Amino acid sequence: MTPEQTRLAAALRELRARTGLSLAALAAKTAFSKSSWERYLNGRTLPPRTAVQELCRLAGEPDGRCLALWEIAESEWSGRATEAGRADTPEQASSPAADPLPRPPEAPAETAQGGGHRGAVTVAVLASVCAVALGGVAVALLLLPRHSDGPRTAAATASAPGPHCRASSCEGKSPIDMYCAATPDTVATHHTAAGAWLEVRYSKECGTSWARMWGTRVGDRLELTAGGRDRRAEVENAVDADNFVYTPMTVTRPGTVLRTCFRPAEGGKEECFDSVSR
């Protein structure tokens, strides 16, 4: 697994955790099977671009950042990045172009199930019309294995689990681990001079607020203050810098003033702003 694919898989796991969906429920809400999502989230297979977009939609996140990670990972996976590097050398320019490495399949078997039935009907019609010339081909096609995912069961369509805490029992805990980040309200968004993005979020179900940052560098710090309580987070390594980093939650009510401060790692100026929970 390439470092680019590792970063993409980590970002997808974080988004899936935010949705609170099991793999079966995730499969029920998208065009991709449970086993496929398991491979995508573990980094064993590069997901199709549409899978990344669907997961971002379910998590309520803009897909720009994850698609940028996907583009880099796909370039490494398919070999396009290597081929581009070779094309810059004199030897490559003077020799016949090599065939590019095969691109990962776009999971044609993991689309909506209706397509499989339409394909079977089409094959049957062709077989009847061209029974003499194409009979053998039609039979072979009909014997090909079909998509293994049958009709979704009722259990697969179960809704996402509810929060694991409420109000004071959430104090100081992770919004991801407690499933409070599935459908939060975005209270405020701020773009810092250092290039990092900040958001303040509020969960009505949990009765809590927290802040998060991305586009950061190792050593960047974030602090959320509400009602005299401080919740802090720091970008500790390169993996953190490639993903969202969250402060722990603090209990708030609608109308609570939230002060968020960002402290860049490399001697930049501290930036603070105020917002109000809804």
Side-chain angles (χ1 to χ4, degrees), residues 36-80:
S36 294
W37 277 116
E38 183 178 13
R39 293 194 301 272
Y40 301 158
L41 296 173
N42 289 334
R44 295 199 300 270
T45 302
L46 184 72
R49 181 187 179 92
T50 52
V52 176
Q53 291 174 309
E54 290 195 42
L55 184 55
C56 287
R57 173 180 57 81
L58 291 172
E61 283 297 322
D63 59 15
R65 175 177 168 276
C66 281
L67 287 181
L69 290 175
W70 181 87
E71 291 284 353
I72 298 172
E74 194 276 338
S75 179
E76 292 294 332
W77 178 284
S78 65
R80 288 190 293 110

Side-chain angles (χ1 to χ4, degrees), residues 122-140 142:
T122 301
V123 170
V125 172
L126 290 175
S128 63
V129 175
C130 307
V132 176
L134 300 177
V137 175
V139 171
L142 288 172

Side-chain angles (χ1 to χ4, degrees), residues 188-199 214-215 262 271 273:
T189 303
H190 181 70
H191 191 199
T192 69
W197 285 89
L198 315 177
E199 276 187 348
W214 71 97
F262 175 76
E271 296 183 43
F273 64 95

Side-chain angles (χ1 to χ4, degrees), residues 82-99:
T82 302
E83 292 298 321
R86 290 175 180 171
D88 291 336
T89 64
E91 293 80 5
Q92 181 71 13
S94 60
S95 62
D99 291 335

Side-chain angles (χ1 to χ4, degrees), residues 19-263:
T19 68
L21 296 172
S22 66
L23 290 177
L26 189 59
K29 291 178 178 293
T30 67
F32 304 93
S33 68
K34 175 182 175 181
S35 60
S36 294
W37 277 116
E38 183 178 13
R39 293 194 301 272
Y40 301 158
L41 296 173
N42 289 334
R44 295 199 300 270
T45 302
L46 184 72
R49 181 187 179 92
T50 52
V52 176
Q53 291 174 309
E54 290 195 42
L55 184 55
C56 287
R57 173 180 57 81
L58 291 172
E61 283 297 322
D63 59 15
R65 175 177 168 276
C66 281
L67 287 181
L69 290 175
W70 181 87
E71 291 284 353
I72 298 172
E74 194 276 338
S75 179
E76 292 294 332
W77 178 284
S78 65
R80 288 190 293 110
T82 302
E83 292 298 321
R86 290 175 180 171
D88 291 336
T89 64
E91 293 80 5
Q92 181 71 13
S94 60
S95 62
D99 291 335
L101 294 177
R103 296 173 62 114
E106 290 293 327
E110 295 164 359
T111 56
Q113 296 173 0
H117 297 298
R118 290 195 298 271
V121 172
T122 301
V123 170
V125 172
L126 290 175
S128 63
V129 175
C130 307
V132 176
L134 300 177
V137 175
V139 171
L141 289 174
L142 288 172
L143 293 177
L144 285 175
R146 297 188 182 181
H147 193 284
S148 60
D149 290 344
R152 311 293 187 185
T153 63
T157 59
S159 59
H164 292 181
C165 66
R166 294 184 186 276
S168 59
S169 63
C170 296
E171 187 68 48
K173 295 181 180 178
S174 164
I176 303 300
D177 294 344
M178 294 295 105
Y179 290 92
C180 292
T183 56
D185 293 327
T186 298
V187 176
T189 303
H190 181 70
H191 191 199
T192 69
W197 285 89
L198 315 177
E199 276 187 348
V200 181
R201 315 205 91 184
Y202 172 70
S203 169
K204 295 178 182 177
E205 293 79 6
C206 295
T208 57
S209 295
W210 63 92
R212 67 176 183 172
M213 55 182 169
W214 71 97
T216 53
R217 293 174 292 184
V218 176
D220 287 349
R221 291 173 293 165
L222 182 63
E223 179 179 304
L224 177 71
T225 303
R229 298 182 300 275
D230 295 336
R231 297 300 174 195
R232 303 176 181 179
E234 182 174 349
V235 180
E236 297 181 352
N237 51 47
V239 174
D240 284 351
D242 284 333
N243 291 281
F244 294 105
V245 174
Y246 299 79
T247 69
M249 295 184 287
T250 188
V251 177
T252 56
R253 295 181 175 84
T256 301
V257 176
L258 306 168
R259 185 163 183 79
T260 306
C261 292
F262 175 76
R263 299 180 175 88

